[in-house]
Every structure is written in structure tokens, then in C-alpha cells.
Amino acid sequence: MQRRLVVTLAILALASTAVTGCKKKSEEQVTPPQSKVSSATSPAAKEPAPSATGLTGEQLFKQHCAVCHPNGGNTITPAKPLGAKAMAERSKITKPEDIVKVMRNPGPGMTKFDEGMISNDDAKKIGQYILATFP
């Protein structure tokens, strides 16, 4: 009985993702205010610089990608996780710009994220976050 419930929930989650895409947008989401720190911050700073929207690559990833790619995995195509080494070997993806190209023109099963949805600056932040976070 419990297995049937888990399978049913998984099917509903996948169907929901297929209908709505990976991007989840909540009415409660609030864009944080722009940082007042100048863009000429110290290279030793541990926090990445915010994007044009004021969000970091991690925040953007969680907002647009984490539903389908939790912890760098892939719920739609499990054989294609976001690990930097795996992406380099599988698809020659080695730079944030390579990830942006995939976001703009994805393969089957992935939502297309055009410039109207995610700016180039934000998309590059996502790419940088993915390559730095998922080895």
C-alpha cells in the first residue's frame, strides 16, 4: 500500500513537471533588494557577486532548476546528471557558456529558458554555480 502511494506521488510529480516545466514561480517570492556593495569587491570575498536581479547563482538555480535537478541530479533523465566531470565527458560542457547554450536550446524533456525568462547574466551565474557545486 505504501509503495503504491509513493509510486502514485512520483507519477503525479513527473506529470506536474511535464505540464508546468521545471520552473516553479511562487507569488510569495520576493526579489531581494540590490546590494549596496560596489561591484569592485575584494577577490577574497566568499559570497559570489549577485546577478542583475540581485540573486546569486545558487538562488537562481534553486528558483529555476532545482525542481528537476535536485542536488545536481536529473529527475527527467537520470543518466544525465549535472556533475561537471560527467557533463564534460558526455557533452563537452566545460564552461558556464556551454550550460547557457543548453538552457537556451535544451534537449527532449527539459524546459527552454529563453532570455525573456532568464537573462544572459543570470543564466551564466547558474552555469558557474553548477560547475562549482557539482563535481
Side-chain angles (χ1 to χ4, degrees):
M1 181 69 175
Q2 186 177 14
R3 180 181 165 104
R4 176 179 267 170
L5 178 62
V6 170
V7 170
T8 302
L9 289 174
I11 291 170
L12 287 173
L14 286 174
S16 171
T17 301
V19 171
T20 63
C22 290
K23 182 178 180 223
K24 290 248 180 180
K25 211 170 199 179
S26 169
E27 292 177 19
E28 297 173 7
Q29 285 179 334
V30 178
T31 302
Q34 292 288 339
S35 172
K36 293 183 182 180
V37 177
S38 73
S39 59
T41 58
S42 163
K46 295 191 180 197
E47 279 294 311
S51 68
T53 60
L55 300 175
T56 65
E58 179 180 15
Q59 291 167 324
L60 291 161
F61 179 85
K62 287 178 180 177
Q63 179 181 355
H64 298 287
C65 313
V67 171
C68 294
H69 298 285
N71 299 315
N74 189 329
T75 61
I76 305 301
T77 311
K80 293 184 175 183
L82 298 183
K85 183 178 177 184
M87 288 190 303
E89 291 173 356
R90 180 180 65 241
S91 306
K92 307 296 185 236
I93 294 173
T94 59
K95 307 179 302 245
E97 294 81 6
D98 297 334
I99 293 173
V100 174
K101 287 179 187 175
V102 173
M103 292 170 68
R104 302 294 188 228
N105 190 23
M110 182 172 161
T111 300
K112 181 176 183 173
F113 296 99
D114 62 23
E115 289 181 51
M117 189 177 293
I118 301 175
S119 71
N120 283 330
D121 182 48
D122 285 353
K124 188 174 176 183
K125 288 281 185 184
I126 292 169
Q128 291 168 338
Y129 171 75
I130 289 169
L131 292 173
T133 306
F134 308 113

